[in-house]
């Protein structure tokens, strides 16, 4: 969902449509209308509803991550999932989404890759992204209540004392090896990033 949200303008320029009609039709007659300056407010309302919908998956994401026991597998998924939530935070209520692709900076990517090696670190990073969203919620946004509820739920699940599960401790060597694997797999993943993101299904 994150890739579909962030690639709005690119998809429009290539005559592709992946935003769900059941959402954007509330705010415009055509999806392409959101590119027009006089539709900026409606565009942001639609964008915020899509981001809020994506946030509803975070509790399941946390549960899934808490059950991973192989460090390499955990790092691989943790990096992608934490980055996705960071991207959602950057996109939320951001008119730049309709002017180009919005992504977190390379320095932030590196930070996530270095830090997202255990459940507590992932919860801290996700909580930070949710706070970024919370601080940008417009008072008149139609999805305001749903967004606040989603953020509240994530806050509860990412509290340091909220142990979804306890992971086994791993040695620094294993963490270093796992990071190396994550870097290699990330480089591979970026090559198929576009194709993967545009075939995601909205549920």
């Amino acid at each position: 969902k994150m890739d579909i949200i962030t690639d709005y303008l690119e998809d429009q320029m290539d005559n592709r449509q992946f935003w769900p009609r059941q959402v954007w039709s509330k705010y415009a007659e055509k999806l392409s209308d959101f590119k027009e300056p006089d539709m900026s407010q409606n565009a942001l309302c639609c964008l915020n509803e899509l981001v809020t919908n994506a946030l509803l998956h975070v509790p399941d994401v946390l549960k899934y991550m808490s059950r991973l026991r192989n460090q390499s597998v955990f790092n691989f998924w943790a990096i992608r999932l934490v980055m996705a939530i960071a991207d959602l935070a950057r996109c939320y209520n951001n008119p730049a989404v309709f002017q180009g692709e919005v992504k977190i900076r390379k320095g932030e990517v590196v930070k996530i890759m270095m830090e997202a090696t255990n459940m507590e670190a992932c919860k801290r990073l996700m909580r930070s992204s949710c706070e970024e969203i919370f601080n940008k919620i417009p008072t008149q946004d139609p999805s305001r209540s749903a967004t606040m509820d989603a953020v509240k739920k994530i806050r509860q699940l990412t509290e340091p004392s909220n142990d979804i599960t306890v992971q086994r401790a791993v040695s620094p060597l294993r963490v270093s090896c796992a990071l190396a694997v994550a870097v290699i797999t990330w480089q591979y993943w970026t090559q198929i990033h576009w194709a993967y993101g545009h075939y995601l299904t909205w549920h």
Side-chain angles (χ1 to χ4, degrees):
K1 291 186 177 183
M2 181 273 296
D3 293 325
I4 291 175
I5 291 172
T6 60
D7 291 345
Y8 167 83
L9 186 61
E10 178 185 336
D11 290 337
Q12 285 296 300
M13 293 177 66
D14 291 338
N15 198 31
R16 299 188 300 262
Q17 292 194 169
F18 294 100
W19 282 25
R21 179 182 293 271
Q22 63 266 36
V23 177
W24 65 255
S25 61
K26 301 176 187 178
Y27 307 100
E29 293 185 4
K30 297 182 297 182
L31 182 56
S32 59
D33 290 345
F34 292 144
K35 295 183 295 183
E36 304 302 325
D38 61 342
M39 289 291 289
S40 60
Q41 190 57 49
N42 282 26
L44 287 177
C45 289
C46 181
L47 171 64
N48 293 345
E49 182 172 343
L50 294 179
V51 171
T52 299
N53 178 275
L55 290 177
L56 298 178
H57 297 290
V58 174
D60 289 333
V61 166
L62 286 167
K63 183 180 294 185
Y64 170 75
M65 290 172 59
S66 73
R67 294 175 177 176
L68 296 176
R69 290 294 179 267
N70 181 283
Q71 188 67 36
S72 297
V73 174
F74 178 87
N75 287 353
F76 175 76
W77 287 111
I79 289 169
R80 292 204 71 248
L81 296 170
V82 172
M83 283 182 58
I85 296 173
D87 279 330
L88 288 174
R90 201 56 44 87
C91 288
Y92 184 81
N93 206 48
N94 187 349
V97 171
F98 303 96
Q99 302 164 8
E101 188 178 48
V102 175
K103 296 284 187 180
I104 59 175
R105 297 187 300 271
K106 291 183 179 179
E108 295 174 285
V109 172
V110 173
K111 181 177 184 290
I112 290 173
M113 292 180 69
M114 294 300 296
E115 295 184 11
T117 59
N118 61 77
M119 198 62 197
E120 286 304 311
C122 289
K123 290 196 294 183
R124 173 174 51 79
L125 292 166
M126 290 182 179
R127 185 180 178 87
S128 176
S129 295
C130 284
E131 292 302 328
E132 182 180 342
I133 292 174
F134 179 80
N135 291 331
K136 296 193 295 182
I137 300 176
T139 55
Q140 301 301 319
D141 189 85
S143 302
R144 174 182 172 84
S145 178
T147 307
M148 294 185 72
D149 287 344
V151 170
K152 180 180 179 181
K153 179 65 175 179
I154 296 169
R155 277 174 169 171
Q156 294 173 343
L157 294 174
T158 55
E159 285 284 354
S161 59
N162 190 339
D163 294 326
I164 299 174
T165 191
V166 178
Q167 287 188 293
R168 296 174 297 176
V170 294
S171 69
L173 177 60
R174 289 186 64 187
V175 171
S176 297
C177 291
L179 280 173
V181 172
V183 170
I184 293 171
T185 51
W186 174 254
Q187 291 174 339
Y188 165 76
W189 194 264
T190 56
Q191 301 301 312
I192 61 172
H193 172 80
W194 180 90
Y196 177 84
H198 288 76
Y199 281 93
L200 289 174
T201 301
W202 285 84
H203 294 294

